[in-house]
Amino acid sequence: MPFLKTTAPLLSLSVLATLLSGASLVSADDLKMTTIASGLDNPCGIAIQPDTGHLFVTCNKSVLRIDPKAPGKTHEEIVGFPTDVYGKGPKYNISGLGASFLDSNTLVVGGGGLPDGKEIVRFYEVGSTPGQPKKADDMKFKSGPIPPGKDSVRGEGNFYGVVPIGTTLFISCNGDDTKGWVSTIALQGGKPGKLTPTIATKVVTGVDAPTPVAKSPEGELAVGQLGEITVPHDSLYTTYDPASHKLTKKVKIGLHDITGLAFSKSGKIYALDFAWLKPEDGGLFTIKVDGDSAKSTQLQKILHPTAMAFAADGSLYITALGQPADSGSGMKGSVIKIEGLD
Amino acid sequence: MRTMKARMRSKTVAGMAVVAGAFLLVLSVANGQGTSGQSQAAPGAFQLEAPKGLDPVPVPDDNVMTHPKVELGKRLFFDPRLSLDNSTSCASCHDPKTGWSDGQPVSDGVKGKTGTRNAPTVMNAAYNYFQFWDGRSPSLEDQAMHPILNPVEMAMPSMDEVVAKLKKVPGYQEEFGKVFPDGITATNLQKAIAAFERTILSGNAPYDHFEAGDKSALSAAALRGKDLFFGKANCAACHSGPSFTDGGFHNTGVGMDRDNPDVGRETVTHLLGDRGSFKTPTLRDIARTAPYMHDGSLATLEDVINLYDKGGIINDQLDEEMFPLNLTAEEKKDLITFLKEGLASDNYPYVEVPTLPQ
């Protein structure tokens, strides 16, 4: 029968494609995991310097520089950050949170150590090699704060995520929980403008706490809504048009508390789940979005992961708090390198 | 939908895929496999429509809604024979006349015993991630047995004894037999009660009409109150979403100034951060469910607003969302107007006490 003769091989291919499409091409067995640094004091953010590949990790009171070629060694790049306490038990001392490079020598750090309404975004000039530690207040520029007012009941703080898209810096904020602001800073001639509440993500999505932000392969702003730490499986993956700030995608991903979001060179979506209520569920996941739904697959269990970034060679670097002390400075944090992702 | 004749003409692989998909869909509907496991074609299928403003009601795949099941669940809900001395039913503490709560700070059980927490409303409990103030139950089905076995509530020694009691009632033998192939069991009793509770929904309120475009649906005072709710008064930090609850747990400080306070969620999670935290309740039809808070210690909405205005009761685990609001007297009034008028359902889910099986 002519129909079957022509369609049989096509059907075979389509069946094969169907089988493959839902399967992850990477499994946990394919990955190589290495601890690059340990004994860190609550690492919450990570940025990779474009030219050198050095890791800049925001910790309690400081920003550390780590050369991945010299694992185990850390250098205090910036010191003396103010400290705040996050959580009600367990509790974590935190300072800088989200981090990103604008260019090889300009590091942006979202603050977490000052009260809501006083928090700022800090811009630092950093060199290609380690030098004398810089003081936290020795900033090239700063932007903010967003004080209490009509946009934000008690002002903004806890700037968990920082990402530049074009000439705009997007910062996730966790001050006013009725809005869930992603704020913006316009960059002009290398200088930052005013920190401005821009996207009310909670109003738009119905879920709390914008946390990780990233630039998607399509050039959109990707935001992970963490949700309530006391509610399981409520995190969202969302995207916005960076120019109009309109929501373009909102899907439930089944994670408890998304804290990291990154895209590999091949365009795959990777996410971290802090899993506050059930730490054994936490770790590194892939997210496959299909229309209005998504499937998350755990690749690696990691205890309390906080942020991640892909290096130019495709390696993924992840910060993790580890097991906290009863309160304060855990000194159990680490930076983990994962190879083998696509 | 493509016709059979159109299907026979299709020759492309893509066309065949559409045909195959459509054929499978027809099969699945005929077999009664709708979304959320809901039977759409099976006899007695219960089409659970969410009121305006609410999301589709989540229904577990292993407890589909049918009319006979819901009716059975209703009778069980109102039946005091599920208690040790035949005095107390679910409805004793979850009374449709008092907002599906009981109008008391804490509830009375069999033999005059009293509980320690305010009876939560059943309204919109279908949407809760967790049941009870401390979230110790993961589902309506599971929750149903707890009060029955609680010595200060309905005080039955075991579910086996509940089943034995029901088996002595010919009317229940018959009704269970119509719904469940295996008749009267503890699991089936819980499923029936849960199915009934899923129908107790509050939505379709002036707030929903306003959000849908009817700008006259809220009075000027309620509209000012709405703006405060989502703004200066910070209510929406926790009372968010269609049911006006984030489903999470928060410490407002209520009760934390007492000796040996009720630590709420901490008893379940054993996390210090959950000490004194209780589940955010729905605010739908909130005017009907006084008194308020997990211990019923606040008699009126005015008392509640005053608590939040002062920033709650300070304790080591006080939620960061609790801080002095500095509301004016007029703002407090407008906020309460929004709560009372704006969230009052046009179709309050009132249910008459049914005739009980004999």
Side-chain angles (χ1 to χ4, degrees):
Chain A
M1 297 178 69
F3 174 74
L4 282 175
K5 275 184 187 170
T6 55
T7 57
L10 289 173
L11 279 169
S12 298
L13 280 174
S14 71
V15 166
L16 184 61
T18 301
L19 282 172
L20 283 177
S21 65
S24 174
L25 292 177
V26 173
S27 72
D29 293 337
D30 300 324
L31 304 180
K32 179 182 170 189
M33 190 163 119
T34 315
T35 300
I36 296 294
S38 58
L40 306 186
D41 191 354
N42 296 341
C44 288
I46 186 166
I48 301 181
Q49 192 172 33
D51 289 348
T52 64
H54 291 174
L55 314 177
F56 283 71
V57 178
T58 56
C59 297
N60 180 35
K61 296 183 186 171
S62 67
V63 172
L64 302 178
R65 180 197 293 252
I66 302 170
D67 182 349
K69 296 195 192 82
K73 291 183 185 169
T74 61
H75 170 79
E76 284 187 322
E77 188 72 21
I78 311 169
V79 296
F81 283 88
T83 292
D84 195 4
V85 178
Y86 177 80
K88 299 185 287 176
K91 299 181 185 181
Y92 303 93
N93 286 357
I94 57 171
S95 296
L97 296 172
S100 183
F101 274 92
L102 293 185
D103 55 51
S104 279
N105 301 112
T106 309
L107 174 69
V108 184
V109 176
L114 291 174
D116 289 351
K118 295 194 187 313
E119 196 55 85
I120 56 174
V121 179
R122 300 163 181 259
F123 295 72
Y124 295 97
E125 190 160 350
V126 296
S128 304
T129 54
Q132 275 290 102
K134 196 189 289 289
K135 288 188 181 148
D137 287 341
D138 189 15
M139 296 168 265
K140 186 176 175 184
F141 303 113
K142 68 176 179 180
S143 186
I146 298 173
K150 70 172 182 57
D151 286 332
S152 180
V153 175
R154 58 191 308 195
E156 288 304 310
N158 285 358
F159 301 149
Y160 286 117
V162 175
V163 68
I165 300 179
T167 56
T168 304
L169 201 55
F170 292 87
I171 300 104
S172 56
C173 311
N174 275 266
D176 188 332
D177 267 5
T178 68
K179 302 293 186 294
W181 286 115
V182 165
S183 299
T184 53
I185 297 173
L187 301 165
Q188 286 176 337
K191 287 186 182 176
K194 188 180 174 194
L195 181 63
T196 307
T198 304
I199 306 173
T201 65
K202 181 161 177 183
V203 174
V204 171
T205 67
V207 171
D208 256 13
T211 305
V213 289
K215 180 181 173 185
S216 78
E218 296 77 24
E220 290 189 311
L221 171 69
V223 181
Q225 297 292 120
L226 185 141
E228 283 287 327
I229 61 172
T230 60
V231 178
H233 305 298
D234 60 339
S235 289
L236 301 180
Y237 170 79
T238 63
T239 56
Y240 297 82
D241 182 298
S244 69
H245 309 137
K246 298 288 181 206
L247 181 74
T248 54
K249 175 74 71 181
K250 175 183 118 176
V251 289
K252 289 186 179 181
I253 52 178
L255 301 191
H256 299 302
D257 306 306
I258 184 171
T259 48
L261 196 55
F263 299 88
S264 66
K265 277 187 183 170
S266 68
K268 278 206 162 60
I269 307 170
Y270 290 86
L272 296 174
D273 191 348
F274 192 92
W276 185 275
L277 202 56
K278 220 175 164 196
E280 61 270 28
D281 285 359
L284 174 67
F285 291 76
T286 56
I287 298 177
K288 187 166 169 56
V289 177
D290 185 9
D292 292 333
S293 63
K295 180 178 156 62
S296 295
T297 306
Q298 189 176 48
L299 291 182
Q300 188 67 53
K301 282 189 188 291
I302 299 172
L303 185 59
H304 297 148
T306 48
M308 61 182 171
F310 273 101
D313 65 359
S315 305
L316 181 65
Y317 292 89
I318 297 172
T319 54
L321 299 183
Q323 194 67 35
D326 289 337
S327 67
S329 299
M331 305 308 290
K332 294 181 192 298
S334 59
V335 177
I336 301 159
K337 177 182 181 181
I338 296 193
E339 299 167 271
L341 297 169
D342 70 332
Chain B
M1 190 175 178
R2 301 184 63 175
T3 62
M4 289 301 295
K5 205 167 177 182
R7 288 177 197 152
M8 292 304 290
R9 290 204 188 107
S10 174
K11 289 186 180 178
T12 62
V13 171
M16 285 299 292
V18 171
V19 167
F23 184 56
L24 285 169
L25 179 60
V26 168
L27 270 183
S28 70
V29 171
N31 286 340
Q33 297 300 311
T35 57
S36 303
Q38 248 309 82
S39 171
Q40 293 183 354
F46 192 109
Q47 295 300 325
L48 188 52
E49 298 278 344
K52 180 193 269 182
L54 298 184
D55 288 338
V57 181
V59 178
D61 290 341
D62 64 351
N63 194 18
V64 294
M65 303 281 288
T66 65
H67 281 286
K69 186 186 289 182
V70 170
E71 285 302 305
L72 172 59
K74 180 164 67 177
R75 298 191 209 293
L76 290 165
F77 189 91
F78 283 90
D79 199 329
R81 290 174 292 185
L82 266 62
S83 63
L84 182 68
D85 61 358
N86 300 327
S87 68
T88 306
S89 67
C90 307
S92 301
C93 303
H94 300 285
D95 189 334
K97 293 194 215 61
T98 44
W100 294 89
S101 179
D102 62 9
Q104 302 188 94
V106 296
S107 300
D108 295 326
V110 301
K111 300 189 191 303
K113 293 181 181 172
T114 52
T116 57
R117 292 183 185 159
N118 181 255
T121 184
V122 175
M123 286 189 284
N124 295 0
Y127 295 100
N128 291 343
Y129 297 113
F130 306 101
Q131 307 297 339
F132 293 109
W133 282 105
D134 58 14
R136 65 185 182 274
S137 176
S139 68
L140 285 174
E141 285 77 1
D142 177 79
Q143 186 278 337
M145 72 171 171
H146 288 255
I148 294 173
L149 300 177
N150 191 321
V152 303
E153 297 184 42
M154 296 161 80
M156 288 298 290
S158 69
M159 290 305 285
D160 286 344
E161 293 197 42
V162 178
V163 168
K165 261 184 127 178
L166 294 178
K167 281 185 172 175
K168 291 177 186 167
V169 181
Y172 274 129
Q173 290 275 15
E174 188 184 342
E175 286 209 36
F176 270 86
K178 283 180 192 168
V179 178
F180 301 103
D182 51 345
I184 303 175
T185 68
T187 299
N188 292 341
L189 178 155
Q190 291 166 238
K191 282 184 172 180
I193 291 176
F196 166 66
E197 290 173 334
R198 285 197 170 89
T199 68
I200 309 306
L201 301 170
S202 171
N204 200 38
Y207 165 79
D208 304 297
H209 303 315
F210 183 88
E211 291 297 301
D214 178 1
K215 298 307 173 192
S216 67
L218 291 174
S219 65
L223 191 54
R224 290 192 300 269
K226 179 180 95 70
D227 290 342
L228 286 162
F229 186 95
F230 289 101
K232 182 182 177 186
N234 205 44
C235 311
C238 305
H239 292 283
S240 57
S243 214
F244 288 80
T245 167
D246 59 6
F249 300 84
H250 302 278
N251 176 322
T252 61
V254 169
M256 294 304 289
D257 51 351
R258 297 186 200 130
D259 293 335
N260 302 313
D262 183 349
V263 296
R265 185 68 175 158
E266 187 191 10
T267 55
V268 179
T269 64
H270 308 293
L271 288 174
L272 175 62
D274 283 337
R275 179 169 295 170
S277 288
F278 295 88
K279 195 177 70 190
T280 313
T282 180
L283 296 184
R284 294 277 186 181
D285 273 303
I286 191 65
R288 295 178 181 263
T289 59
Y292 303 103
M293 315 312 273
H294 70 275
D295 58 358
S297 60
L298 299 182
T300 65
L301 285 173
E302 286 76 6
D303 292 335
V304 173
I305 300 305
N306 285 335
L307 172 85
Y308 283 102
D309 187 46
K310 77 173 187 180
I313 296 172
I314 292 175
N315 66 96
D316 287 345
Q317 276 71 42
L318 185 69
D319 216 78
E320 64 174 4
E321 297 308 326
M322 301 299 294
F323 51 89
L325 302 174
N326 300 312
L327 297 173
T328 66
E330 196 60 38
E331 285 173 333
K332 290 181 188 179
K333 220 169 135 196
D334 288 341
L335 185 54
I336 289 168
T337 299
F338 170 68
L339 293 173
K340 286 182 174 176
E341 293 178 10
L343 301 183
S345 171
D346 290 354
N347 317 96
Y348 171 72
Y350 185 78
V351 171
E352 292 284 353
V353 178
T355 307
L356 300 181
Q358 299 302 322

